[in-house]
Amino acid sequence: MAEVVVVENELAAGALIAASIRDLIAQKPDAVLGLATGSTPLSVYRALAASLVSDPLDVSRVRGFALDEYVGLPAGHPESYRAVITREVVEPLGLTAENIHVPNGDLASIETAGDDYERAIVEAGGVDVQILGIGRTGHLGFNEPGSSFASTTRIKTLTEKTREDNARFFDSPDDVPMHCITQGLGTILRAKHLVLLAFGDAKADAIAAAVEGAVTASQPGSAIQFHPQVTVVVDEAAASKLTNLAYYKHAWAHKPAWQGL
Ligand code: GLP
């Protein structure tokens, strides 16, 4: 079962997960981080960046793999996930740019980009901790409903709901690409530890479906139920539709300290 941790707000979530990532890097200086984009993980990246200023740690060997990328955006587009990861993660944390990978959304090489990315993840020894947000359609990465639980990195067509949600980052809704390249659910499930974050009412249904709903490709988030080590960090609003909420709080309050996250 996923461990569900209910926090007061995004700042608390950021502090909790940043501390756990610091511990990982201290033990394994070339740790492999799975990086999500979107608004949700920003509190983690910001807390980690702040802690690296107040208490420096060598992160020069840390490696990273982003979950996904739009297909066909011009190189250097500010809303490409390559640009977002550079701006929100690589620069503030002082990571080594060459160590950070993002799926290649160039149309010219799209037919082989998925397999190339899978190979790079395997060659790195796999992802140690995968940070995840969740979309309103229940998507992880850009694995929209219907994605196979065994899927690997490949091109996908975005749902119109996801394009609407992401229109806020573009000048016009029509500018949101139709296609993306995303790690598959099978790729994500191979990471050693999954950390799924969600905040706000708009994510309550997707979180309830992922944590407690039927395991079904119609709810890609439910793939987490197959994984042996999942931490779901939510605020009260995102947790509000969980049936077993009282139990999750009880378990967290009585968790043996030696277990860590
Ligand atoms: C985006 C990303 C996902 C992200 C999700 C939620 O489209 N591809 O990786 O988890 O949608 O975004 P947000 O965190 O902004 O709500």
Side-chain angles (χ1 to χ4, degrees):
M1 189 195 87
E3 173 167 58
V4 179
V5 184
V6 183
V7 292
E8 207 180 324
N9 51 34
E10 296 191 39
L11 278 182
L16 180 74
I17 301 308
S20 140
I21 294 175
R22 270 194 77 103
D23 288 349
L24 170 69
I25 298 170
Q27 284 164 29
K28 184 179 178 187
D30 64 347
V32 180
L33 307 181
L35 303 167
T37 49
S39 325
T40 305
L42 292 177
S43 62
V44 173
Y45 304 142
R46 286 175 186 159
L48 191 52
S51 95
L52 291 172
V53 171
S54 58
D55 187 9
L57 180 71
D58 180 10
V59 295
S60 62
R61 294 171 56 207
V62 167
R63 296 166 292 165
F65 286 89
L67 277 173
D68 45 14
E69 176 60 289
Y70 292 111
V71 167
L73 284 183
H77 189 290
E79 292 309 326
S80 71
Y81 283 171
R82 163 64 76 183
V84 172
I85 291 285
T86 301
R87 198 162 63 229
E88 302 289 357
V89 186
V90 177
E91 290 173 354
L93 270 59
L95 302 181
T96 305
E98 304 80 70
N99 291 350
I100 309 304
H101 307 262
V102 179
N104 185 350
D106 289 349
L107 277 169
S109 52
I110 200 66
E111 288 183 31
T112 51
D115 288 347
D116 291 347
Y117 205 64
E118 289 291 320
R119 206 171 309 115
I121 295 173
V122 169
E123 281 168 7
V127 170
D128 290 305
V129 57
Q130 175 64 59
I131 308 293
L132 294 167
I134 192 163
R136 283 194 304 146
T137 64
H139 67 237
L140 300 181
F142 269 139
N143 291 281
E144 297 283 28
S147 295
S148 159
F149 288 138
S151 51
T152 52
T153 307
R154 72 233 183 274
I155 191 168
K156 287 289 288 182
T157 306
L158 295 173
T159 61
E160 286 305 297
K161 197 168 171 184
T162 298
R163 290 186 72 227
E164 275 165 34
D165 282 350
N166 289 6
R168 66 191 195 275
F169 298 113
F170 291 83
D171 292 339
S172 131
D174 292 341
D175 291 349
V176 184
M178 199 72 77
H179 294 103
C180 62
I181 175 168
T182 180
Q183 285 189 30
L185 294 173
T187 319
I188 293 168
L189 289 174
R190 288 201 307 271
K192 295 176 189 87
H193 181 194
L194 303 183
V195 175
L196 172 59
L197 301 138
F199 310 110
D201 295 333
K203 299 294 174 72
D205 285 323
I207 284 294
V211 176
E212 296 180 339
V215 170
T216 166
S218 299
Q219 285 291 341
S222 67
I224 66 169
Q225 295 178 41
F226 285 119
H227 195 283
Q229 195 191 355
V230 185
T231 309
V232 178
V233 185
V234 281
D235 62 6
E236 290 282 356
S240 60
K241 295 195 175 166
L242 289 168
T243 306
N244 295 322
L245 184 57
Y247 171 65
Y248 305 139
K249 290 182 175 178
H250 176 76
W252 176 250
H254 296 92
K255 181 172 169 131
W258 57 262
Q259 276 189 327
L261 264 191

